[in-house]
Amino acid sequence: MENTNRLKGKNVIVTGASAGFGAAIARSFAAYGCALELWARRRDRLVSLRDELQRTHDAKVSLRVLDVRDRGAVASAAEDLRSAGWAPDVLVNNAGLASGFDPIHEGDYADWDAMIDTNLKGLLNVTREILPMMVERDAGHVINIGSVAGYMAYPKGNVYNATKFAVRGLTEAMAVDLFGTRVRMSSVDPGAAETEFSLVRFHGDDDRARKVYDGFQPLTAQDVADAVLYVANAPAHVNVSKLVIMPTAQRNPYLIDRKG
Ligand code: NDP
Ligand code: 8X3
């Protein structure tokens, strides 16, 4: 792959930037010379990431402590960007979670709401407020973080699967609605990656979370960030519609070779 940097000076919004993929994606865009707008709920994490990126890359970084489920907060963040004349070039819709791991008939309503409200409605809230600024300029790129869980259900994945199937559907729907514009629409759909994802899914049970990655080498957050950078840095006439990335040991959501 050639190394041309087409991203220098671009304005990039990353949701869920306080951990995992989002933080790695922020680091990668900062290394490419982008200005960053980082959104998540945990202020301390965002502040230390901002300080790191300013120190290591002299990056322009703004942060916003925000819950993507809060439509008013998202609208007000977007309005602040608009009034500051900060036009987004790239939006990475990354904020999301799995919560709980139960068969559907034993599922927990609070888990279901958290996933549907964040992964699906949160992504919609952010897109609804940011995308108009791209369509107006006839330029921009939205990258949704989907999952292999959006292609194939696995036991106890149920509602998480459904939200990621929905993200895949929305990526397609958004692409056709943007037909005739030069706004690009992509998804990056990872398989098993070791982040805080499983810790969140298992409600803080560290042992259970670690066992998810027993016996094989999962993706790292940086592997996924590299894929996002590849998609974002493609020439303007190239739109990577979807990029599915899994560990070599994984062939579908539940076929994982754990012989170490
Ligand atoms: P992490 O738990 O490490 O990071 C999730 C990020 O999302 C955090 O920064 C968190 O920040 C943020 N977030 C969660 N809820 C909200 C909310 N309501 N509002 C704003 N931000 C929120 O997980 P990953 O990095 O692994 O996950 C990132 C995305 O990748 C998710 O969409 C996930 O579904 C997807 N994915 C993960 C895979 C994996 O195996 N790890 C594989 C495929 C897809 P904070 O808590 O500070 O708000
Ligand atoms: C995260 C990957 O396989 O745990 O989306 O659902 S998986």
Side-chain angles (χ1 to χ4, degrees):
M1 190 175 67
E2 37 97 357
N3 286 320
T4 308
N5 178 353
R6 300 182 185 85
L7 292 167
K8 192 170 167 51
K10 300 279 187 197
N11 292 337
V12 180
I13 303 175
V14 182
T15 69
S18 61
F21 299 168
I25 291 165
R27 288 188 178 97
S28 293
F29 277 111
Y32 269 60
C34 298
L36 287 159
E37 176 73 24
L38 305 180
W39 292 2
R41 294 167 300 176
R42 284 172 289 178
R43 174 183 295 280
D44 53 336
R45 299 286 200 100
L46 289 177
V47 167
S48 68
L49 180 60
R50 179 189 61 194
D51 293 351
E52 174 200 322
L53 298 181
Q54 286 173 339
R55 199 175 54 249
T56 52
H57 298 295
D58 198 21
K60 286 188 199 140
V61 184
S62 297
L63 52 87
R64 190 90 179 191
V65 177
L66 167 153
D67 188 326
V68 295
R69 293 173 294 184
D70 182 342
R71 221 165 251 167
V74 172
S76 137
E79 187 44 45
D80 287 352
L81 294 181
R82 189 186 281 279
S83 49
W86 198 92
D89 296 298
V90 180
L91 164 63
V92 185
N93 272 321
N94 164 74
L97 78 167
S99 190
F101 196 65
D102 303 300
I104 196 76
H105 51 284
E106 293 171 9
D108 181 276
Y109 286 120
D111 284 335
W112 293 2
D113 286 346
M115 292 186 278
I116 293 166
D117 291 349
T118 308
N119 302 356
L120 182 51
K121 292 165 74 179
L123 180 146
L124 282 168
N125 294 341
V126 174
T127 303
R128 179 65 186 88
E129 297 299 330
I130 298 299
L131 191 50
M133 290 188 257
M134 295 184 177
V135 173
E136 278 160 24
R137 294 165 54 233
D138 198 19
H141 196 166
V142 179
I143 303 173
N144 288 340
I145 304 300
S147 170
V148 295
Y151 293 80
M152 186 185 277
Y154 54 85
K156 303 182 184 175
N158 49 65
V159 175
Y160 180 70
N161 284 122
T163 63
K164 292 298 184 178
F165 270 74
V167 169
R168 182 155 67 92
L170 272 176
T171 304
E172 283 187 29
M174 289 154 73
V176 295
D177 281 354
L178 290 167
F179 174 72
T181 77
R182 280 181 287 191
V183 179
R184 291 187 285 176
M185 189 63 235
S186 306
S187 76
V188 170
D189 302 327
E194 192 163 10
T195 60
E196 293 174 17
F197 176 83
S198 293
L199 192 63
V200 172
R201 163 170 263 171
F202 297 126
H203 301 140
D205 183 338
D206 204 22
D207 283 346
R208 205 169 165 205
R210 242 179 288 114
K211 285 201 181 84
V212 171
Y213 311 105
D214 268 357
F216 76 105
Q217 187 172 349
L219 298 175
T220 64
Q222 189 57 51
D223 295 327
V224 174
D226 290 346
V228 170
L229 258 286
Y230 169 76
V231 168
N233 194 42
H237 69 285
V238 175
N239 185 55
V240 181
S241 306
K242 49 181 83 106
L243 192 163
V244 180
I245 174 173
M246 281 183 277
T248 303
Q250 180 178 28
R251 298 301 152 105
N252 73 30
Y254 57 85
L255 196 59
I256 298 181
D257 179 5
R258 293 179 188 272
K259 69 177 174 289

